Amino acid sequence: MLRSLVFAALFLLTLPAFAADKLIALTFDDGPRPYVLYGIKPAPGLLDVLDQQHVKATFFVMGWRLTPKTWGDRRYETNIGITCIDAAKDVLKHGHEIEDHTYSHEELKTAERKKGEQWVIGDVERGAAVIKAVSGSQPLYVRPPDWVLPDDARRELEHRGYHILTISNENPVALRDINSLDYLCAGKHPTQCPKPSLVDSVLKQIDQREKKGVTTHVLAFHELTTTTAVMPQLISTLKARGYRFVTVQEYMREVAKPQRETQVGK
């Protein structure tokens, strides 16, 4: 009996710091989009889907949407009579988290070349300011559009207390976003949507990370009706595999700190 307990203890000590739990941080970019969050009948909205699945998510929002009377992009979105600000407040009431996807949603490397580093910093800060005005809390995390951010701007933003989400292989695997490519599935007749399906494609990426011993994942999606439609299947499948869903802030508390301690100890 004693030998068994000692063996079990030694086994647990040899596991990676992030393997103690199976975690998913489910995230959505480019909102708030009221027609996606609430749905257009008979299709359910994203908020209802998440409620039904008892999942809390993190929404990386565009700052320009959180301005008075704004409901969305007139070219591509449907006005359902709800402003983006009211939708964002509802996202918070449902227990979800709102973080920063910049104010303008411009690609920041190109923007820095044209407008300078201070414009890039200001775009992130401006996005954070309108989020704080709605939520009452300073956002802690930034996902730059297309994960593109110049190194000098990154250092300055980190100095100001922001944490940058990335797909860079410079970071430990557990701290790299999984790019779902769900935007390729948008529209009535998409031709580049991952095969055989969006869900299978995301699960394949998770499988590949699991083979490396990684059981914690940040999934990057977008506020799209096509993405909403596959969420029940994806969430149910991951729950059946033993995954627990958390917000980005919860995820980083449980994953990022052990990762840093492991790196320091090497």
Side-chain angles (χ1 to χ4, degrees):
M1 180 67 176
L2 181 59
R3 288 183 62 186
S4 298
L5 289 173
V6 171
F7 177 81
L10 289 172
F11 175 75
L12 289 172
L13 287 171
T14 63
L15 288 175
F18 49 79
D21 204 354
K22 300 179 76 172
L23 300 178
I24 297 287
L26 187 60
T27 72
F28 300 93
D29 288 0
D30 293 1
R33 288 176 167 162
Y35 80 102
V36 175
L37 293 170
Y38 298 97
I40 298 175
K41 302 301 181 184
L46 181 55
L47 288 177
D48 281 343
V49 168
L50 295 175
D51 280 351
Q52 291 162 8
Q53 295 289 333
H54 305 290
V55 164
K56 302 305 179 189
T58 302
F59 292 80
F60 285 83
V61 303
M62 300 181 192
W64 68 264
R65 291 179 180 272
L66 299 183
T67 52
K69 300 182 181 179
T70 300
W71 55 264
D73 188 324
R74 296 176 183 275
R75 296 168 296 175
Y76 308 114
E77 299 174 26
T78 302
N79 184 359
I80 62 170
I82 299 174
T83 68
C84 293
I85 287 179
D86 286 339
K89 290 178 179 178
D90 222 9
V91 166
L92 295 167
K93 287 178 184 176
H94 282 252
H96 306 296
E97 183 177 283
I98 292 179
E99 299 290 350
D100 196 347
H101 197 40
T102 75
Y103 185 90
S104 69
H105 199 253
E106 288 192 34
E107 191 265 276
L108 296 181
K109 201 165 189 176
T110 302
E112 184 188 67
R113 189 169 63 250
K114 293 180 177 179
K115 306 175 186 181
E117 180 189 343
Q118 286 310 306
W119 186 93
V120 170
I121 302 299
D123 196 49
V124 172
E125 292 276 34
R126 191 180 179 192
V130 291
I131 291 171
K132 186 175 181 179
V134 171
S135 69
S137 301
Q138 175 74 10
L140 302 176
Y141 292 89
V142 178
R143 178 179 284 141
D146 298 322
W147 292 279
V148 176
L149 182 63
D151 290 340
D152 50 358
R154 177 187 300 276
R155 287 189 292 269
E156 176 60 25
L157 289 168
E158 289 175 340
H159 178 71
R160 297 186 183 204
Y162 292 101
H163 304 279
I164 314 300
L165 272 71
T166 179
I167 56 174
S168 171
N169 58 15
E170 294 178 1
N171 283 4
V173 178
L175 300 183
R176 298 178 209 163
D177 292 354
I178 289 179
N179 181 6
S180 69
L181 299 174
D182 64 332
Y183 50 87
L184 298 177
C185 303
K188 293 182 180 179
H189 304 291
T191 58
Q192 295 180 301
C193 189
K195 307 296 183 192
S197 72
L198 178 60
V199 169
D200 289 327
S201 173
V202 173
L203 292 174
K204 182 178 179 180
Q205 292 189 68
I206 290 174
D207 288 342
Q208 291 170 344
R209 288 159 64 103
E210 286 180 344
K211 289 177 181 177
K212 299 176 182 178
V214 179
T215 58
T216 55
H217 319 284
V218 178
L219 305 185
F221 290 93
H222 295 78
E223 284 189 36
L224 297 167
T225 54
T226 46
T227 295
T228 300
V230 305
M231 279 298 113
Q233 180 189 355
L234 178 66
I235 292 170
S236 297
T237 301
L238 290 171
K239 282 184 174 180
R241 291 189 179 190
Y243 278 97
R244 177 166 61 91
F245 287 79
V246 294
T247 65
V248 165
Q249 290 191 28
E250 293 169 328
Y251 181 94
M252 294 303 176
R253 280 197 295 269
E254 296 197 38
V255 177
K257 186 173 184 292
Q259 286 282 335
R260 286 194 295 268
E261 289 173 350
T262 300
Q263 287 180 310
V264 169
K266 287 182 177 179

